[in-house]
DNA sequence: GGTACGATTGTCT
DNA sequence: GACAATCGTACCT
């Protein structure tokens, strides 16, 4: 990530999302550090995107999404799980990229410990396969909402030198988004690395 | 002040 | 393949 990662992120989520594939997210705690290489993401645009939390304007929950690019947007879902996004776009524009899945490339033991505490991790590929699993493996929660990934203290984002080549990237409709389904309104805003075993495959939507 | 619902996962049949 | 778990947020009265 040589020239201005902040600047690279300060663009529409739809452009940033494919560039995050292959990026490394690292979280360092007293217990150790876990790093994940992203293999699956989804783009969420702001006001024009019915699937986005920011669709109906700024609220207490989504405030971070309207802020500076490169910060982490973390929220609780169904009272059980957390999901994390990387904020994109210029200040005032609420676009973000949801981190859906990745491959644990560092701190695998710690990731296993965290995951087995809340479920069963059968194999390496399952450690961060799915948005909520990824947050558990990394040890992220609401306390990390709004942290800056670029200045990177405990949590950091390492963009790949060069974006993954297009022929390794697949696209498709987003998963589990209501208001985006049904007729013709499904944007191909989900991106993943073709053939990666860590990419979540989904059942019903 | 009350209620409906969700950017999911794990487990059971 | 289906369902329950579980709680903050948004929206309505």
């Amino acid at each position: 990530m040589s020239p201005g990662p902040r600047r690279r992120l300060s663009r529409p989520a739809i452009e940033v999302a494919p560039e995050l594939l292959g990026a490394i997210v690292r979280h360092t705690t007293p217990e150790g550090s876990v790093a994940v290489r992203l293999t699956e993401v989804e783009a969420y645009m702001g006001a024009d995107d019915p699937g986005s939390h920011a669709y109906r304007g700024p609220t207490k929950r989504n405030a971070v999404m309207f802020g500076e690019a490169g910060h982490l947007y973390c929220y609780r879902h169904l009272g059980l799980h957390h999901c994390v996004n990387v904020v994109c776009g210029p200040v005032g524009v609420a676009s973000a990229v949801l981190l859906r899945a990745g491959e644990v490339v560092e701190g695998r033991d710690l990731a296993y410990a965290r995951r087995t505490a809340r479920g069963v991790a059968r194999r390496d590929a399952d450690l961060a396969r799915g948005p909520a699993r990824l947050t558990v493996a990394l040890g992220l929660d609401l306390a990390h909402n709004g942290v800056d990934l670029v200045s990177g203290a405990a949590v950091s984002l390492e963009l790949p030198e060069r974006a993954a080549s297009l022929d390794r990237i697949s696209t498709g409709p987003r998963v589990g988004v209501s208001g985006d389904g049904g007729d013709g309104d499904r944007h191909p805003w989900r991106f993943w690395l073709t053939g990666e075993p860590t990419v979540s495959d989904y059942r019903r939507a």
Side-chain angles (χ1 to χ4, degrees), chain A residues 93-155:
Chain A
V93 177
S95 65
V97 176
L98 169 68
L99 311 184
R100 287 198 57 88
E103 173 194 7
V104 174
V105 293
E106 184 184 317
R108 226 177 56 214
D109 291 342
L110 182 52
Y112 261 109
R114 285 173 176 152
R115 288 274 296 123
T116 51
R118 302 199 190 199
V120 187
R122 293 167 174 70
R123 54 191 190 123
D124 290 1
D126 287 333
L127 283 175
R129 181 173 154 176
R133 293 170 171 184
L134 183 137
T135 64
V136 172
L138 279 173
L140 296 174
D141 57 40
L142 284 182
H144 301 92
N145 186 38
V147 301
D148 187 5
L149 297 167
V150 174
S151 67
V155 193

Side-chain angles (χ1 to χ4, degrees), chain A residues 19-99:
Chain A
E19 293 191 17
L20 285 180
L21 292 174
I24 305 287
V25 179
R26 177 177 286 103
H27 182 205
T28 304
T29 65
E31 301 173 281
S33 120
V34 172
V36 165
R37 171 177 157 264
L38 300 177
T39 57
E40 183 185 4
V41 298
E42 279 180 8
Y44 283 84
M45 305 300 273
D48 300 325
D49 180 5
S52 170
H53 286 168
Y55 182 50
R56 297 177 195 279
T59 64
K60 188 177 178 183
R61 174 176 61 159
N62 66 26
V64 174
M65 279 175 45
F66 288 83
E68 187 180 46
H71 288 247
L72 198 69
Y73 168 49
C74 181
Y75 67 94
R76 182 183 284 276
H77 183 241
L78 287 180
L80 294 172
H81 309 289
H82 299 287
C83 295
V84 288
N85 301 241
V86 174
V87 176
C88 301
V91 173
V93 177
S95 65
V97 176
L98 169 68
L99 311 184

Side-chain angles (χ1 to χ4, degrees), chain A residues 164-170 194:
Chain A
S165 58
L166 288 178
D167 58 358
R168 287 198 303 146
I169 297 177
S170 300
T194 309

